[in-house]
Amino acid sequence: MKRRALRAALPYTLPVCVGYVVLGMSYGFLMRTRGFSLAMPIIMSVVVFAGSMQFAAGEVLLAPFDPLYALFLTLAVNARHLFYGVSMLEKYRNTGRKKVYLIYGMSDETFTVNCAVTPPEGVDRGWFMFFVTLLNQAYWVLGTAAGAVLGDVLRFDTTGIEFVMAALFLVMMLNQWEEAEDHGPALIGLGASAVCLAVLGRDGFMIPAMALIAVFCLLGRKRGEGA
């Protein structure tokens, strides 16, 4: 049962592998060039496994100790997982002890595969989703480890490498812009971010901007339901 589920899950994770290994290498390399130990980025990828928040965590760990800021920043950056979790309630039902890891290991790409793909006939859905999640995290950890090792060998100016995640999300936004008929949420996000950036500056705009985006999107949804 497990082998069949693994074989079924593997092809769906290979496209994710390409992106995760490259981004993971960028993360591991960045952490090493900023003075963290070889083990630190690898442990972060195993224990935290939060993609964009891991890039931000490098800055947080180097900044003056401020746990409340770190907490709210993490909640703001990963708030979308609240909606992912609600969407997967039914699919994760009756998965037994695997549910704990399925919840922990959910990422954007893992959510997409597990939400959209129906396992082949004869393949247990719980194990299929488990191996999708496990393989995707393994790709990220592998890329992180490779980047961390390269950080000891290669030396060059890494200014701007932290923009890799921002660039990824920009490309994703452009793709969704082209596919979506309603551009309201994107415009709300851009507008709220621009206003908060202008008023609060680059160091304090993110959390208020995320809060404004959430409020306006919820108000728009309620208005649409009322209509």
Side-chain angles (χ1 to χ4, degrees):
M1 179 186 297
K2 295 179 182 179
R3 289 185 178 180
R4 183 179 299 177
L6 175 60
R7 288 195 298 267
L10 181 60
Y12 292 100
T13 66
L14 292 179
V16 179
C17 174
V18 177
Y20 271 20
V21 169
V22 173
L23 291 173
M25 288 180 66
S26 301
Y27 168 68
F29 190 88
L30 177 66
M31 292 287 282
R32 291 294 286 137
T33 57
R34 292 193 171 179
F36 291 96
S37 67
L38 177 65
M40 184 64 169
I42 300 174
I43 292 173
M44 290 279 286
S45 289
V46 172
V47 176
V48 179
F49 188 42
S52 54
M53 190 56 215
Q54 286 182 234
F55 280 85
E59 298 289 343
V60 173
L61 291 172
L62 293 174
F65 183 65
D66 190 346
L68 287 179
Y69 175 78
L71 172 63
F72 286 114
L73 178 62
T74 303
L75 290 174
V77 171
N78 292 311
R80 65 192 183 281
H81 286 266
L82 294 172
F83 302 99
Y84 292 172
V86 172
S87 301
M88 297 299 289
L89 283 174
E90 186 60 35
K91 289 183 178 293
Y92 283 177
R93 194 183 302 276
N94 299 323
T95 55
R97 290 181 294 178
K98 296 185 288 296
K99 182 186 294 185
V100 175
Y101 179 68
L102 290 172
I103 294 171
Y104 159 75
M106 186 186 295
S107 66
D108 298 327
E109 291 75 13
T110 298
F111 166 77
T112 301
V113 175
N114 283 339
C115 183
V117 175
T118 300
E121 185 176 352
V123 174
D124 180 78
R125 172 176 286 277
W127 282 113
F128 176 84
M129 294 190 295
F130 175 84
F131 283 117
V132 168
T133 307
L134 180 64
L135 287 169
N136 285 344
Q137 184 176 11
Y139 301 146
W140 180 259
V141 174
L142 176 63
T144 299
V149 171
L150 288 176
D152 279 339
V153 179
L154 301 179
R155 296 294 181 207
F156 60 87
D157 185 6
T158 60
T159 302
I161 194 173
E162 65 274 13
F163 188 70
V164 63
M165 285 302 294
L168 172 65
F169 281 108
L170 178 61
V171 172
M172 292 171 62
M173 190 204 79
L174 292 175
N175 287 338
Q176 291 179 358
W177 178 279
E178 293 177 351
E179 295 174 1
E181 296 181 0
D182 180 13
H183 299 314
L187 294 174
I188 289 173
L190 291 172
S193 299
V195 170
C196 291
L197 179 62
V199 173
L200 302 173
R202 56 178 290 184
D203 294 329
F205 85 98
M206 183 174 293
I207 294 177
M210 293 293 292
L212 277 178
I213 292 169
V215 169
F216 279 115
C217 286
L218 287 173
L219 289 175
R221 181 175 180 180
K222 288 183 178 179
R223 182 177 300 177
E225 291 175 350

